[in-house]
Amino acid sequence: MIPAPATAEAVLHAVLVRRSYARLTDPAPTRAQLEVLVQAAATAPDHGRLRPWRLIPVTGHERNRLGDVLGEAAATPQQAHRAVSNVLRAPMLLSIVLTPEADHPRVPPWEQLAATAGMVTTLTLLLDSHDWASIWRTGPAVDAPQVRKHLGIRDEEKLLGWLYIGTRPQAETVRQRQPPDTSGKINWTYAPAES
Ligand SMILES: Cc1cc2nc3c(=O)[nH]c(=O)nc-3n(C[C@H](O)[C@H](O)[C@H](O)COP(=O)(O)O)c2cc1C
């Protein structure tokens, strides 16, 4: 169901107040709640409407198993120890998998990656505005063979990390921030590059 239209101010506000949160508590969205938000996020700009991604939620005790595998892939015992507990920082770890269509005649791989990042970013905004919270995390483990095997990542796919999803702890205040200074980011004038 598409909710009632938000005002432009409400959308601007939602973008400005969205924050990532490092530690999230129960509950996570239900399967039905997540599916609604993912369907909405899938409307993000996507050349060719390829939707070149898939998502693998890891919840409950599955997180411990993933933590063990991340530990096996870690470079040091200290990192392995941390990996086992890090997976418990949120009730849901949504694995983000890029499923690029190779040799597409019009949409090169980088555009497919851009479309996927746009979908994930939109999903973070939707989660935040629906009183969930999230943080996108990556790390070298995304390319570890054990981790790829555990999640069933196919050779042509790339694991882009996990969107940790849950509820913002009540004790944690909403971290407000000033919008970044983007004054030099738009080149209203430009000149040809010197060769
Ligand atoms: C592709 C991608 C990967 C990221 N990986 C990590 C990560 O591994 N660890 C981390 O602390 N933050 C990571 N971040 C940054 C956080 O998701 C988050 O954006 C950052 O903490 C800033 O918080 P904010 O979203 O409230 O501005 C990543 C962001 C992106 C877009």
Side-chain angles (χ1 to χ4, degrees), residues 18-20 135-138 177:
R18 182 209 60 80
R19 294 305 310 264
S20 301
I135 183 168
W136 190 350
R137 295 181 186 277
T138 50
R177 63 177 155 196

